[in-house]
Amino acid sequence: MRHVKLIVPTLLVGIVLAITSAWSQEDMTAVDNAAFDNPQRTPSVFVHDEHNETAGIDDCAECHHVYEDGERVEDESSEDQSCSDCHSLEGDDEQPSLIRAFHGNCKGCHQEQEKGPILCGECHIK
């Protein structure tokens, strides 16, 4: 009986912690790296809405861009597509490879704004 008195509260605490942990990660977003056969690093992780709010990004197309004939199409967003739908692993003369697209878009913006992570381990958290 004494063991039951210890097990039940322990289980309840565990369940509450698991639920709280799941809720806190609800807004967490990981950049989709499923196109890479053998990724060298974990996907970049960030809280999407908080990132946009902090960075002052109010236009989805800022990150989820669309290009036609080498020109960016204003007011059109690719947020319903995966980056790998347009960017291949190898890239070509017209489009950067998927890894260059990720780094150029994310890291490039961080460097331009002079804020945000730019080192590998700051985005690719283990």
Side-chain angles (χ1 to χ4, degrees), residues 70-116:
E71 298 290 323
R72 183 170 170 186
V73 179
E74 296 297 322
D75 301 324
E76 192 169 333
S77 172
S78 64
E79 63 191 292
D80 60 337
Q81 296 176 297
S82 174
C83 298
S84 61
D85 288 346
C86 296
H87 296 277
S88 67
L89 293 177
E90 298 82 30
D92 57 35
D93 291 338
E94 294 181 24
Q95 285 186 322
S97 68
L98 185 57
I99 195 166
R100 286 191 182 272
F102 282 143
H103 288 128
N105 203 29
C106 302
K107 183 179 172 184
C109 182
H110 292 174
Q111 289 173 319
E112 284 175 23
Q113 300 295 320
E114 294 183 354
K115 60 183 178 183

Side-chain angles (χ1 to χ4, degrees), residues 2 7 22-23 38-39 43-44 48-49 53 56 58 60 73 81 91 119:
R2 184 173 169 215
I7 292 173
W23 281 334
N38 211 0
S44 177
H48 183 267
D49 291 342
E53 198 172 290
D58 57 358
C60 295
V73 179
Q81 296 176 297
L119 299 176

